[in-house]
Amino acid sequence: MTTRDLIARGSRLCGRMIRSEPRLFLVSLGGAGLVVVLSIGSAFAVGAVVADVVAPMLDRGQVDAGLLAGAAAILLGLSALKVVGIFSRRLGAVYLQQSLQARQRKGIVRKYLSLPPAWHRENPTGALLSNASSDVDAAASPAGSLAYAVATVFLLAGALTALFAVDWTLGLVGLVVFPGLVAVFAAYSRRVAPRYRLAQSLRAQVTALAHESFDGALTVKVMGRADHQTARFAGQVGELRHALVAIGRTRAWHDPVIDALPQVGTVAVLVVGAWRCEQGALDLSDLTSAAFLFALMDMPIRAIGWLLGALPRAVAGAERVDRVLAAADDSPPGTAVLGGGPAELHLRQVSVRSLREVSVRIAPGRVVALVGPTGSGKSTVAALAARLLPPESGTVLVDGVDVRELTAAAFAAAVAYVPQVPFVFADSVRANVTLGRPGIDDDAIWRALAVARADDFVRLLPQGLDSGLGERGAALSGGQRQRIALARALAGGPRLLVLDDATSAVDPVVEAAVVAGLRSAPGGPAMLVVATRRPTIALADEVVYLDQGRVAATGAHHELMRSAPGYRELLAAYDRQVAA
């Protein structure tokens, strides 16, 4: 990326910040503008005080206390107003930066939740965390100095105009500083921009590996591979460290040079000014004002340097954030809605992944069990029914409506899905069951818990429904987590319930009781159940036996036991596993 491209992208990014929060920017800019006006005015005030008050007193050898006090009061008044301006500038800048970060983080999370599961499978969680944290921080980093840098452009213009008004030679000295600033930034940006992009990418990789290490900590410890995993992480951290050190080395020469430019200019002004004083072109008041004006340029040049220095990192972070926000869900938005009562599900000639032309129909109020060996496609069928996976061909219908045509709210109200490994939030039982859905009171929660056979152990918790469950439900057993997730699905009153081996961690007797309770509930939902235990399978109205991605047989359990040898052998294997 060339310096011109970087400045162009950085300018567009800064413009987007201003358009996003114009009021906060104006607060900060107003404070900075007040500081600019007062700074230029202070230069002439100081020059006048030195020339008209201090110098005559020194010549007379007599101090006029009243005159000196008046001059001091004027300078103190100007300083007090500058304090107000500095406070407004900094407060506005902080609010601007934090508001931009909050807006982007909310936008990113909203985008994450709207994108299909296929997109999430292609993007590791750690990288997504990095997008919402370090990338957002980087993208908003110029906001802290943006208003000040904009205002200081006017300060520099005013200071240069004032220098030319004092003496044209001093104005030329001031002009020399700016080409130097641009040249330093051009050299800096060429070296540091690619390093910032690399660092942001490596941050995402480190975050992803750290997240994976935390999630897999139990596996790593059990397998005795802590040293191996630590070495993997150390390697990634080492790469990030080298990238950040390379950035630090570049900034090590950039920042001092930026700081030195105003100092060199001040010395040049004093030298040239002294020469002009000898020629009679300047007096003491003019030279004092000019030196003070050039000293005032120190902070503006630094502020512009800070902004320019932040642009490479900001552009790199913004590119990664924009890539997420621009991600598109290829599926068209649905517009259809559904009626009430138990729903009908129909998978018609569906093919996806390893499935080939699978057809399954669940009539309203009926229970269908999916049975098959590992890899036969049971979970894939469940994912299709839950609209987590789009079919490559064929259609998935609920009450005769293609699920792709349903609104997200209509589908969520009609269909509930419970996976084999449920997610439990680090919150109370009540919050986990309701998920903030309106209309689910405590009575409805207890009814759902009772059907899921979870009410007994919830009553034994220290605070009942208000008991915290810990991160990912650490306070519960695997079977208890599954039953809380099942109660969550039931609390919404679904018309179709999809259970992907959702009671596998529960005792077989309890599992059969849960399924029986679901069947016997008045007005209960239609159910698609991925099952591996004979008592649960026997409760189904119909069994769909899958083998190698195809429907090998369908019928009642006792019928398949007679007519499908593969089904009979599979259940015998299930029975041996339970007995063991």
Side-chain angles (χ1 to χ4, degrees), residues 26-47:
L26 288 176
V27 169
S28 184
L29 183 62
L34 180 60
V35 173
V36 166
V37 172
L38 293 173
S39 297
I40 295 175
S42 296
F44 290 98
V46 169

Side-chain angles (χ1 to χ4, degrees), residues 336-349:
V337 296
L338 297 171
E344 177 187 61
L345 174 69
H346 190 186
L347 279 73
R348 190 164 59 196
Q349 296 292 303

Side-chain angles (χ1 to χ4, degrees), residues 215-369:
D215 271 1
L218 181 60
T219 300
V220 172
K221 291 178 71 66
V222 168
M223 299 297 293
R225 302 303 295 161
D227 292 341
H228 169 73
Q229 193 69 7
T230 302
R232 284 184 65 204
F233 189 69
Q236 291 277 16
V237 170
E239 290 186 38
L240 177 59
R241 173 184 172 275
H242 290 317
L244 293 176
V245 168
I247 292 172
R249 283 198 298 266
T250 306
R251 295 201 65 170
W253 65 261
H254 170 264
D255 292 351
V257 170
I258 292 295
D259 289 346
L261 281 175
Q263 310 301 328
V264 172
T266 300
V267 172
V269 164
L270 290 174
V271 171
V272 174
W275 170 64
R276 294 290 286 170
C277 283
E278 289 182 358
Q279 292 182 332
L282 294 176
D283 57 22
L284 180 60
S285 174
D286 294 333
L287 181 57
T288 304
S289 297
F292 192 80
L293 280 170
F294 218 97
L296 285 177
M297 293 169 66
D298 177 54
M299 284 307 296
I301 290 176
R302 289 189 185 188
I304 294 174
W306 293 335
L307 179 62
L308 294 178
L311 284 185
R313 176 172 177 250
V315 169
E319 286 175 350
R320 293 174 58 82
V321 170
D322 290 343
R323 192 178 303 121
V324 172
L325 296 177
D329 183 357
D330 295 332
S331 58
T335 58
V337 296
L338 297 171
E344 177 187 61
L345 174 69
H346 190 186
L347 279 73
R348 190 164 59 196
Q349 296 292 303
V350 171
S351 295
V352 64
R353 294 183 180 175
S354 59
L355 290 183
R356 288 295 174 264
E357 298 182 350
V358 168
S359 294
V360 176
R361 181 178 179 274
I362 305 175
R366 302 272 287 178
V367 177
V368 172

